[in-house]
Amino acid sequence: MSTPNDPGYLGYQPTLQPLKLTTGASFVQTIQPSDGAVFPAGTIISIVLTAPGGASLGAWSAVVGSTTATWTVPAATCDQIPTNSRYTMLVTYPTSPATTYAWYAGTVIRI
């Protein structure tokens, strides 16, 4: 049961946003930690993709520095991802044991 003080779910909630891909264009994205924070050394960030039917389409790993995570995925790779596929951006922090969060999730749309 949910109340105004209880949102009605357990666990971490990722931000739900579509992943916009343009046919013939590379996927280029840079993200930063919020409020001047840094990514600890050893942080891993990837975008995991699944087809509309649930089959794995692979993962795109970011190049992670202390203040940015950057992707540059070639158009030939992006063009293989069908509309209505799903993605989850997973962030894994180098804790013991490792801690993984689903930071963003949603569907793939094409422009």
Side-chain angles (χ1 to χ4, degrees):
M1 173 184 291
S2 63
T3 66
N5 294 326
D6 174 11
Y9 58 81
L10 296 174
Y12 180 82
Q13 290 289 110
T15 300
L16 301 177
Q17 293 287 331
L19 173 63
K20 296 177 184 178
L21 298 177
T22 303
T23 302
S26 299
F27 173 74
V28 180
Q29 182 72 48
T30 299
I31 61 171
Q32 299 173 307
S34 60
D35 300 326
V38 297
F39 292 122
T43 298
I44 299 167
I45 305 175
S46 59
I47 295 173
V48 178
L49 298 147
T50 56
S56 174
L57 296 173
W60 300 342
S61 296
V63 174
V64 180
S66 63
T67 60
T68 61
T70 305
W71 289 263
T72 303
V73 181
T77 300
C78 297
D79 287 350
Q80 300 303 311
I81 307 302
T83 299
N84 293 323
S85 294
R86 304 259 331 141
Y87 84 94
T88 304
M89 181 188 296
L90 297 175
V91 179
T92 302
Y93 293 109
T95 55
S96 184
T99 305
T100 301
Y101 292 95
W103 198 353
Y104 285 87
T107 59
V108 173
I109 61 173
R110 293 218 158 258
I111 309 175

